[in-house]
Amino acid sequence: MTVADLPKPRAISLEWITPSLANDLLDCPYRVAWQLDPTYRALHRPNTYSELGVIAHGVIEDAAHGMFVGEAGAIRSVIEQRWDERAKRAEEDLSRAWEPATIPSREEWPGYHLTKVRITRQAASRSVRLERPSPAVTASAVESPLTDDDAMLRGRPDRVEGPHDARRIVDVKSGLHQTSPSPPQLRQLMLYGHLVETTTDDHVAEIVIEDASGKRWTQGFDREATTSLVAQVRQELESFNAATRDGSIATHATPSADGCRWCSFRVVCSSYWSELDTTWGHGSVLGVVRRAQLAAAGSVLELEVSHPSDAAGSPWVISGAPTELATPGREVAIADGELTGIEHHLRWRWSTLVWPQLEGASQHKT
């Protein structure tokens, strides 16, 4: 299988855009093309980090809606019960998305226990404050839908709070290593601020990133920069739609080590494979199975690799692979294997991506 043999997404134009999709459009329009094609929707799967974020956001939203009332100790117990309910659903969603792979239990997810403690504490504190509201503070709006027809922009900010004409846009991040806001996070907050000012008679004063412990990073809302950002997004949207019409969308790909690292579609993206280099540290290889050995802990494959390009022609060993791949002569693309530290050696993970996909195959349990 060569890079030219990889599939291409069907060209579908955008009618609306959200702040998160706007970030993708600004980072890599080709990624958006993959997202829009339902043929490859199965590749866009959640992971333990995204599902942990879903749980955390859900519990914080529950607290903001006044679900938890009572004495402090009793509130914490109710919040923990609600967390467990949401966590069970998230675990089931993750399992369905990655079937037939065996996912780690939620107790093993990176950062699970610390995030649960932090979110429970924050939700309890927020619930107590809701029981004793200050009459001078305007009520918070949580996950309220906002739409700007002119900019073709719609979204639901995590929280809009603060007094009238001095509102704060708050985005809750559950990651344990959140520091000062990244450029994509700031762009998202600015677009939410635009939506608030465009769709209400309110003004935004600040944009805020809040981590799982409740720590905040705050900065003033730059209205002029936001106006420029909205214009840039609109221009990118028009450019994207034009490229889908003339068939040139693949030329808008912007592959890079950081930009592609968490992209769900990298395993099928010819632009990714064309630019991939071993220095990216992605644990991705494209090549032909030359030898295969079945083992109790999964198959051991030897691949003759064509990509990464700086390793072309080199043999790579993949251990713990699904038995369905143990066929000499099989052409395969593998992304997000575990780099073991041994040169040209990858270990298969439950979240490793493979193309062509193994329809209904039993993946090795890790």
Side-chain angles (χ1 to χ4, degrees):
M1 176 169 56
T2 66
V3 168
D5 297 323
L6 291 166
K8 292 179 173 57
R10 182 164 31 127
I12 299 174
S13 297
L14 277 165
E15 295 182 3
W16 287 92
I17 194 165
T18 64
S20 59
L21 192 58
N23 263 329
D24 285 334
L25 192 63
L26 293 170
D27 288 340
C28 181
Y30 201 36
R31 184 190 309 155
V32 176
W34 288 106
Q35 289 183 49
L36 295 178
D37 189 342
T39 305
Y40 303 100
R41 192 164 292 154
L43 290 173
H44 191 46
R45 291 178 280 191
N47 54 48
T48 58
Y49 299 99
S50 64
E51 287 302 287
L52 189 55
V54 169
I55 301 166
H57 273 79
V59 172
I60 290 297
E61 184 179 346
D62 291 339
H65 283 302
M67 274 192 64
F68 312 124
V69 295
E71 297 299 323
I75 285 178
R76 290 181 68 89
S77 177
V78 173
I79 293 171
E80 288 175 354
Q81 181 180 349
R82 183 60 170 167
W83 172 283
D84 291 338
E85 291 170 356
R86 286 189 173 277
K88 181 180 179 181
R89 288 203 299 270
E91 190 176 38
E92 291 170 349
D93 289 344
L94 191 65
S95 182
R96 279 193 296 269
W98 286 92
E99 192 177 7
T102 301
I103 67 167
S105 70
R106 60 182 182 268
E107 301 290 330
E108 301 174 285
W109 295 359
Y112 178 84
H113 295 283
L114 182 54
T115 302
K116 179 179 180 180
V117 169
R118 288 179 171 179
I119 292 296
T120 299
R121 184 186 302 127
Q122 186 185 162
S125 175
R126 187 171 300 280
S127 298
V128 170
R129 290 200 304 271
L130 281 175
E131 289 188 341
R132 304 195 264 292
S134 169
V137 177
T138 305
S140 297
V142 181
E143 295 281 352
S144 298
L146 303 170
T147 301
D148 178 3
D149 292 331
D150 292 336
M152 301 168 66
L153 182 68
R154 58 174 57 158
R156 294 171 177 262
D158 284 351
R159 194 182 313 137
V160 181
E161 63 181 32
H164 180 69
D165 275 345
R167 301 292 262 168
R168 286 186 298 275
I169 312 297
V170 182
D171 199 15
V172 180
K173 299 298 181 184
S174 61
L176 296 180
H177 305 295
Q178 176 68 46
T179 56
S180 57
S182 66
Q185 289 173 344
L186 289 176
R187 287 199 299 257
Q188 190 164 333
L189 283 165
M190 290 163 70
L191 292 174
Y192 282 134
H194 167 81
L195 282 170
V196 169
E197 293 207 334
T198 302
T199 60
T200 70
D201 61 350
D202 238 337
H203 287 86
V204 175
E206 296 175 330
I207 52 179
V208 180
I209 289 290
E210 180 178 281
D211 71 7
S213 68
K215 181 179 179 180
R216 290 186 164 192
W217 289 264
T218 303
Q219 70 177 56
F221 180 62
D222 189 329
R223 199 163 285 103
E224 183 177 349
T226 298
T227 299
S228 297
L229 174 61
V230 171
Q232 181 186 4
V233 170
R234 184 62 184 270
Q235 183 177 357
E236 289 293 334
L237 179 58
E238 292 173 355
S239 175
F240 176 87
N241 286 341
T244 62
R245 290 192 295 269
D246 64 25
S248 65
I249 189 61
T251 66
H252 292 252
T254 57
S256 68
D258 290 336
C260 297
R261 185 175 300 277
W262 307 116
C263 178
S264 301
F265 307 100
R266 61 194 182 280
V267 73
V268 291
C269 179
S270 58
S271 298
Y272 170 71
W273 290 109
S274 295
E275 296 297 322
L276 179 66
D277 189 280
T278 54
T279 60
W280 288 17
H282 283 198
S284 300
V285 291
L286 185 152
V288 180
V289 178
R290 293 306 183 195
R291 297 181 182 81
Q293 178 181 352
L294 297 177
S299 299
V300 178
L301 314 177
E302 183 180 306
L303 265 66
E304 181 182 327
V305 168
S306 60
H307 293 79
S309 57
D310 62 334
S314 301
W316 283 62
V317 174
I318 317 295
S319 59
T323 57
E324 290 76 13
L325 292 180
T327 305
R330 181 176 185 132
E331 298 175 313
V332 65
I334 297 170
D336 200 27
E338 180 185 356
L339 290 163
T340 64
I342 301 173
E343 186 177 19
H344 294 172
H345 178 238
L346 298 178
R347 184 181 294 117
W348 196 274
R349 298 193 279 201
W350 68 269
S351 57
T352 296
L353 304 169
V354 60
W355 189 267
Q357 287 185 294
L358 304 177
E359 297 293 341
S362 297
Q363 305 230 23
H364 171 55
K365 298 182 179 182
T366 57

